[in-house]
Amino acid sequence: MQKDIYEKLISFLLGASWAIVLVGALVVFKTFLSFSFSFALLATVFYVIVSLFLILLLDSFGVNKARLREAKKQTELLEKIYEEKSKSIS
């Protein structure tokens, strides 16, 4: 199945986002490690939670696109059924 440019962009951004989460968590941990281990761990967990929420938001764009595509297919089928029924009644 061919993906349109929107789906390709969403897929790319999702992959890049996961890479940013992993590398960013390491950077945040190492940055705050000079303060204390517990503070570094807390900052890293907070960073990961916020990042995962943003990834979830990005993934919802792809899900809504798929939902819209399915709704269009169903609408088209219902319109065909309606046309056939209205012709048979007349």
Side-chain angles (χ1 to χ4, degrees):
M1 183 172 142
Q2 288 287 6
K3 292 184 176 182
D4 62 350
I5 190 75
Y6 180 81
E7 291 172 336
K8 287 180 184 178
L9 181 65
I10 293 294
S11 294
F12 173 76
L13 289 175
L14 278 171
S17 298
W18 278 106
I20 289 170
V21 167
L22 294 176
V23 172
L26 181 65
V27 169
V28 167
F29 184 77
K30 286 191 173 192
T31 301
F32 289 106
L33 191 58
S34 62
F35 296 114
S36 72
F37 178 78
S38 59
F39 185 69
L41 191 61
L42 182 66
T44 304
V45 167
F46 180 72
Y47 171 79
V48 168
I49 288 172
V50 170
S51 300
L52 290 178
F53 176 74
L54 294 175
I55 288 176
L56 184 64
L57 184 68
L58 190 60
D59 191 40
S60 70
F61 291 138
V63 170
N64 284 335
K65 177 77 172 181
R67 187 182 306 162
L68 178 65
R69 189 179 325 114
E70 274 303 310
K72 285 182 180 181
K73 285 180 188 177
Q74 291 175 4
T75 302
E76 185 179 316
L77 286 172
L78 287 172
E79 286 174 350
K80 285 181 183 178
I81 292 171
Y82 178 75
E83 290 291 323
E84 290 176 6
K85 288 289 184 178
S86 62
K87 286 180 182 177
S88 65
I89 292 175
S90 305

